[in-house]
Amino acid sequence: MSTKKADLGCALTCWLVAALFGAFVAIALWIFAGYSFIQGAFIGAIALAVAGLGLSWGLCRPLPGPIVGSEAGAATPSAAGPTHAPPAPAP
């Protein structure tokens, strides 16, 4: 499968889940909170946008590549040794 097709599928799935979440929020506000249709639909649309952007950003980003060569040694701070001097013994 190509990368572009996988990215499109990921984004489509994220926005579908966000649409379901926005509809759930709108319906819950209409039924339980007594909001009017327009108020619930507006807040549901905001929930859809926030959830869609958050899911797309969090799940559909490309992962970083593996660390190879000299980058592997620089990435581990324990390999460089302690960063401070040990305490002096008490007299």
Side-chain angles (χ1 to χ4, degrees), residues 1-30:
M1 186 181 322
S2 70
T3 305
K4 290 183 181 182
K5 195 171 195 177
D7 290 343
L8 181 62
C10 180
L12 185 62
T13 303
C14 288
W15 283 99
L16 179 63
V17 169
L20 292 173
F21 177 70
F24 174 77
V25 167
I27 291 169
L29 289 175
W30 295 331

Side-chain angles (χ1 to χ4, degrees), residues 27-36 39:
I27 291 169
L29 289 175
W30 295 331
I31 294 173
F32 299 116
Y35 280 49
S36 71
Q39 291 171 329

Side-chain angles (χ1 to χ4, degrees), residues 63-76:
L63 296 174
I67 299 174
V68 293
S70 63
E71 294 175 3
T76 57

Side-chain angles (χ1 to χ4, degrees), residues 55-84:
L55 287 171
S56 294
W57 179 78
L59 298 176
C60 296
R61 290 185 300 173
L63 296 174
I67 299 174
V68 293
S70 63
E71 294 175 3
T76 57
S78 61
T83 57
H84 61 281

